[in-house]
Amino acid sequence: MSSQQQKNAEAAGTWLEVRDLSIPIPIVPGAQEEAGTGSETLRPGFFKSVSLPEPRPSAQERTLLAKQRQSSISQSIRRGTAQWFGLGTDGELEQLHWQHKSWRHCSQRYGKLKAAYQGDVRVSSLEPASFTAVHSPAPHQMPQIIDPFARGRAFRYPDVMDRPLTPHPAHPPLPPLGSVRSSRVGTGFPPRKRESVAQMSLRAATALIMGRPVLESTRPRRVKRSFAHPSYFEEDAVDGPDFLDTSFFSKMDIADELYSMPDDVFESPPLSASCRDPQFVEKLQSSLPYFTYWITFVHILISLLAIGTYGIAPVGFAQHVKTKLVLRNKGYESVEHVQQENFWIGPRSDALIHLGAKFSPCLRRDQSISELTEEERDRERNSGCCIQNDNSGCVQTLMEDCSEILATFIKWPTSNAPELESTNHSRSSGAVCHQDPRTCEEPASTEPHIWADDITQWPICTYQPEKNHTGLKHLDCIIKGRPCCIGTKGRCEITTREYCQFKDGYFHEEAALCSQVHCLDDVCGLLPFLNPNVPDQIYRLWLSLFLHAGIIHCLVSVLFQMTILRDLEKLAGLLRISIIYILSGIIGNLASAIILPYRAEVGPAGSHFGLLACLFVELFQSWPILEKPWKALMKLVGIALFLFVFGLLPWIDNIAHIFGFISGLLLSFAFLPYITFGQGDKYRKRILIIASLLVFVGLSAALVIWFYVYPMNCHWCEYLTCIPFTSKFCEKYELDQIIH
């Protein structure tokens, strides 16, 4: 390069690029004076560069690069999908991690493993470096069996026989042979008791107030484990017989006893782990059952808010009847109000519906309710204004309900009916107490918006002139009744405010007719319907999973989630277990909405039975490694049968239990990772995954069709949720009992 080019490069201050090669060129101050000498003194730290245009790739090269990108993306998707379902060939360390977690979970829940699978399970997600020294056993080569509960120290720690007699500088001396109680005193092991959630929350709050890091503890860390080290037992005779089920532990030196046993199901940090290690903190946080804690917190919070807002219904198993003397249309009457008792110690049924319970009339247009609503409108078309002769008031009612002696019944067209402007004929539908197209100013009955000759289509008159005397009796009287929405089916009745409050109804003081209000929208609550005549609150299928019928119901859910859901989430991960939990609950609620449409149901019953199905699937997948799989299966079957039989009580939704269990079974086969035993087993499980997903999609589509397109009336299906041992044991939720 000539001196002139160097000067140009110095002025440009760029890089010299020849295709993919960048060449830095040192430039020395004062080089302009020595440009012709050919000798330059290099001084470090002063570099300029020259840039040449890079040639663009040809069309063939661009096509080849695009194909390579598409191929790499498709391969990544295939690998990720296979890895998600636990059948991938990559990520051997992750598969090994899952395998050890599954073995641990099976050993603690289903009993003793076969001897060939009680090998080295020292691998922990908290010690990633240890994965490099662990290899999964070949199909025909089983790992060495190390039983920590075997008789004698030589059986517990086989490598002790190979140690030199002189103490190793990295290992502490062996404890004296004898009972474990004598050896644990000198080693100073921390207590076994796990720290409760309340203690951890209090310690975290104290750390925040004191300005210390939350993960840094002010006292010695306790060892957290689900499987205690054998030396932790109080009574452990060396030569005593082995009556305990063997959990699988790693082959350990005595020095390793100073560390906590890695537990991949209930993952606890070793004593030597630093809380400030970013990798350790990240792995620890990824192992926490966040979904379990979150859903449990939401359940408790919403239950307390619901009880605080709506109170507690009468506690019991029957129907509660209260009687009171209240003012009705014809005067004071003794009225009864029947209310279903709630033995869960929680709100009323209508309050649960208002909160978001599963209730079919709020999810879709119900044919029975629509027919009864139309019957109410037909009766309203024949109604008129009944005016008391003593000027005590007036009310909209039928002619047969108005006394001929004590009141005057005004009905068009025989009594001063207004003309229908579009036809020049008198109106035949009406009159209506305190509403008339001749007096309403907003909305006015003028062209082109003439009120129809059908009072069920009249709008609410939002503004009338302030006149005490119009000359029309049905307008000058004191109105005594307004529309009131009563019951869970949206029954409307024109009555007094006092009666409406006694019936726990929704009183509409702005309206004059029942056709002007939408009672079902009031009963359902939450977000209003897009079309007031078409219920569309489909979100109730999953919203009801966060609600409970009472305190006892919430406690049962919390207990189940902290014992079953917590372990399954630590085993399978947050995403997998949350999918199974939510979808199982939705399918269970959808099936219940088809078979039991008029029962207000809340709670994650379908989700919990979906988790119960997860235990069955894990047992089936781990069948070859269990020593007594039939015994574990009989235990699970006994628990499931007990819960299903308990669901035959009339206050429990067994339909959601059954379909939640079926959905959880299919989803668990599809989403839970597997322990594969050879290539043939892997192909078989791929077919099982595809079949399970197809069956689940088919089941979901069938339920949607039965619910929306072809509503199914399966009367015998009700026996799956309640067997009528007596005539009143399974009380019906009939519409005619509520309407009339």
Side-chain angles (χ1 to χ4, degrees):
M1 182 181 296
S2 64
S3 60
Q4 184 61 32
Q5 291 176 340
Q6 292 181 359
K7 293 178 182 179
N8 295 337
E10 182 179 5
T14 57
W15 285 89
L16 173 62
E17 299 181 1
V18 181
R19 294 182 69 105
D20 296 333
L21 180 63
S22 298
I23 305 175
I25 301 177
I27 304 299
V28 181
Q32 297 178 356
E33 291 79 8
E34 301 177 1
T37 61
S39 61
E40 299 177 353
T41 305
L42 300 180
R43 301 176 68 181
F46 297 91
F47 292 96
K48 299 292 182 178
S49 60
V50 177
S51 176
L52 295 180
E54 182 180 1
R56 298 181 60 186
S58 61
Q60 184 177 2
E61 292 177 347
R62 290 196 298 269
T63 304
L64 181 60
L65 290 174
K67 290 182 178 180
Q68 290 177 353
R69 292 194 194 97
Q70 293 177 357
S71 176
S72 62
I73 292 174
S74 61
Q75 291 177 1
S76 300
I77 293 175
R78 285 196 298 268
R79 285 196 302 268
T81 303
Q83 200 66 27
W84 163 259
F85 290 106
L87 299 174
T89 57
D90 298 337
E92 295 181 358
L93 299 182
E94 184 177 351
Q95 293 181 9
L96 184 62
H97 184 203
W98 156 255
Q99 180 179 353
H100 282 271
K101 288 177 20 174
S102 179
W103 286 1
R104 288 184 182 277
H105 190 261
C106 290
S107 68
Q108 69 144 359
R109 194 167 294 280
Y110 307 126
K112 193 174 182 180
L113 302 182
K114 290 182 179 179
Y117 294 94
Q118 297 177 14
D120 186 5
V121 290
R122 187 176 173 182
V123 178
S124 173
S125 63
L126 297 178
E127 300 179 12
S130 62
F131 279 116
T132 58
V134 181
H135 302 280
S136 57
H140 303 290
Q141 181 182 359
M142 296 303 175
Q144 183 182 3
I145 304 170
I146 303 298
D147 190 353
F149 292 137
R151 296 170 18 177
R153 190 188 307 136
F155 292 92
R156 295 176 185 244
Y157 309 107
D159 59 344
V160 172
M161 306 302 296
D162 301 332
R163 280 193 176 181
L165 297 178
T166 58
H168 194 277
H171 303 290
L174 297 177
L177 182 62
S179 66
V180 180
R181 182 178 300 179
S182 61
S183 63
R184 68 180 293 193
V185 175
T187 55
F189 287 110
R192 291 180 55 204
K193 184 177 180 181
R194 294 176 60 86
E195 191 174 13
S196 65
V197 177
Q199 290 174 333
M200 288 189 292
S201 303
L202 180 60
R203 180 161 54 84
T206 305
L208 290 174
I209 295 174
M210 299 299 294
R212 295 193 303 267
V214 176
L215 293 178
E216 184 179 355
S217 179
T218 57
R219 55 184 178 82
R221 293 181 60 86
R222 293 186 177 183
V223 179
K224 299 180 182 179
R225 57 180 56 80
S226 296
F227 308 96
H229 192 274
S231 63
Y232 277 23
F233 289 98
E234 293 293 337
E235 300 296 337
D236 187 12
V238 175
D239 296 327
D242 183 13
F243 293 106
L244 298 175
D245 288 342
T246 59
S247 302
F248 33 88
F249 292 94
S250 60
K251 177 180 176 181
M252 297 182 63
D253 294 329
I254 297 300
D256 294 331
E257 286 189 331
L258 297 178
Y259 299 86
S260 83
M261 176 60 61
D263 186 349
D264 290 325
V265 180
F266 304 91
E267 206 159 14
S268 302
L271 294 179
S272 59
S274 173
C275 291
R276 297 183 180 181
D277 184 6
Q279 188 177 14
F280 164 72
V281 173
E282 181 180 358
K283 298 297 289 186
L284 177 61
Q285 291 175 350
S286 64
S287 67
L288 293 177
Y290 287 114
F291 180 75
T292 303
Y293 294 153
W294 174 78
I295 198 71
T296 302
F297 172 76
V298 171
H299 283 165
I300 296 175
L301 179 63
I302 294 181
S303 298
L304 295 177
L305 291 177
I307 293 175
T309 304
Y310 292 95
I312 296 178
V315 180
F317 299 91
Q319 290 184 341
H320 178 74
V321 181
K322 61 179 181 179
T323 306
K324 185 179 180 181
L325 190 66
V326 297
L327 177 63
R328 295 195 68 180
N329 299 337
K330 297 180 180 180
Y332 283 92
E333 299 180 9
S334 179
V335 181
E336 289 185 352
H337 179 43
V338 180
Q339 188 176 3
Q340 184 65 37
E341 296 176 342
N342 186 354
F343 79 99
W344 297 111
I345 311 179
R348 307 183 309 270
S349 296
D350 56 345
L352 293 176
I353 295 175
H354 207 71
L355 284 170
K358 182 274 301 175
F359 190 58
S360 293
C362 297
L363 295 168
R364 53 97 194 264
R365 184 183 179 92
D366 188 88
Q367 186 65 26
S368 300
I369 293 181
S370 299
E371 292 176 357
L372 293 174
T373 302
E374 189 61 32
E375 291 179 5
E376 284 186 345
R377 293 196 174 189
D378 289 339
R379 289 195 300 269
E380 193 172 61
R381 291 187 183 98
N382 297 324
S383 67
C385 186
C386 181
I387 305 173
Q388 299 295 324
N389 294 333
D390 58 356
N391 296 325
S392 60
C394 57
V395 64
Q396 189 77 17
T397 184
L398 295 175
M399 179 180 292
E400 54 267 23
D401 295 332
C402 184
S403 175
E404 297 180 359
I405 301 175
L406 302 178
T408 301
F409 185 75
I410 298 178
K411 183 74 175 70
W412 293 340
T414 59
S415 176
N416 195 14
E419 293 185 355
L420 185 62
E421 290 80 354
S422 58
T423 61
N424 294 325
H425 295 290
S426 299
R427 292 180 177 267
S428 60
S429 181
V432 177
C433 297
H434 270 234
Q435 186 167 352
D436 195 291
R438 293 170 291 189
T439 59
C440 184
E441 294 184 1
E442 187 177 345
S445 179
T446 57
E447 294 289 350
H449 304 291
I450 302 298
W451 292 8
D453 191 17
D454 183 358
I455 60 175
T456 61
Q457 299 180 15
W458 281 11
I460 297 177
C461 185
T462 58
Y463 181 75
Q464 285 185 333
E466 296 181 358
K467 295 180 180 179
N468 295 328
H469 300 282
T470 62
L472 302 174
K473 292 183 177 181
H474 66 283
L475 293 179
D476 296 340
C477 62
I478 302 174
I479 192 167
K480 297 169 59 176
R482 296 281 186 176
C484 174
C485 299
I486 303 173
T488 59
K489 309 303 184 298
R491 176 171 63 96
C492 182
E493 180 179 350
I494 295 179
T495 183
T496 62
R497 179 188 293 273
E498 183 179 354
Y499 177 82
C500 187
Q501 292 177 348
F502 177 73
K503 287 286 189 177
D504 297 324
Y506 300 91
F507 189 74
H508 291 271
E509 194 171 7
E510 77 285 355
L513 299 169
C514 284
S515 58
Q516 295 174 341
V517 299
H518 303 283
C519 288
L520 197 58
D521 207 347
D522 294 332
V523 172
C524 296
L526 299 178
L527 299 178
F529 303 149
L530 296 179
N531 183 349
N533 296 320
V534 181
D536 54 5
Q537 296 180 350
I538 188 64
Y539 51 83
R540 288 177 175 269
L541 292 178
W542 63 84
L543 182 61
S544 60
L545 301 179
F546 302 94
L547 304 175
H548 286 88
I551 298 176
I552 299 178
H553 193 195
C554 182
L555 292 178
V556 172
S557 295
V558 170
L559 179 63
F560 187 93
Q561 288 167 181
M562 296 306 295
T563 55
I564 304 298
L565 176 60
R566 179 176 178 270
D567 293 354
L568 287 175
E569 183 181 355
K570 291 174 105 27
L571 176 68
L574 182 148
L575 186 57
R576 287 186 176 93
I577 210 64
S578 60
I579 290 175
I580 296 174
Y581 186 96
I582 298 297
L583 291 183
S584 298
I586 290 176
I587 296 300
N589 282 339
L590 183 58
S592 177
I594 295 173
I595 299 175
L596 304 173
Y598 307 117
R599 282 181 56 175
E601 302 289 348
V602 293
S607 301
H608 289 169
F609 273 76
L611 298 178
L612 183 62
C614 287
L615 298 180
F616 278 89
V617 172
E618 189 195 8
L619 175 61
F620 296 152
Q621 299 300 331
S622 306
W623 194 275
I625 69 175
L626 294 174
E627 189 174 89
K628 297 180 180 180
W630 285 105
K631 182 179 179 181
L633 179 61
M634 290 299 102
K635 289 182 179 179
L636 279 181
V637 170
I639 294 173
L641 287 178
F642 171 77
L643 294 176
F644 281 125
V645 171
F646 187 71
L648 294 176
L649 296 176
W651 319 283
I652 300 175
D653 189 0
N654 214 21
I655 302 298
H657 293 175
I658 295 173
F659 281 86
F661 184 86
I662 296 174
S663 303
L665 202 67
L666 298 173
L667 293 172
S668 299
F669 276 121
F671 292 132
L672 286 185
Y674 295 120
I675 303 175
T676 56
F677 302 91
Q679 193 67 21
D681 187 50
K682 183 177 294 187
Y683 287 129
R684 179 182 65 83
K685 290 177 179 176
R686 287 178 180 175
I687 297 175
L688 182 61
I689 289 173
I690 297 175
S692 300
L693 289 176
L694 290 178
V695 173
F696 176 78
V697 172
L699 175 64
S700 304
L703 292 177
V704 170
I705 293 174
W706 285 334
F707 185 67
Y708 283 105
V709 183
Y710 302 104
M712 182 177 61
N713 295 323
C714 182
H715 297 290
W716 66 267
C717 295
E718 297 180 3
Y719 294 106
L720 296 176
T721 190
C722 184
I723 298 178
F725 297 103
T726 63
S727 59
K728 295 184 178 180
F729 189 73
C730 301
E731 298 201 13
K732 299 285 186 180
Y733 289 80
E734 298 292 347
L735 292 179
D736 54 355
Q737 294 179 359
I738 298 177
I739 293 296
H740 302 296

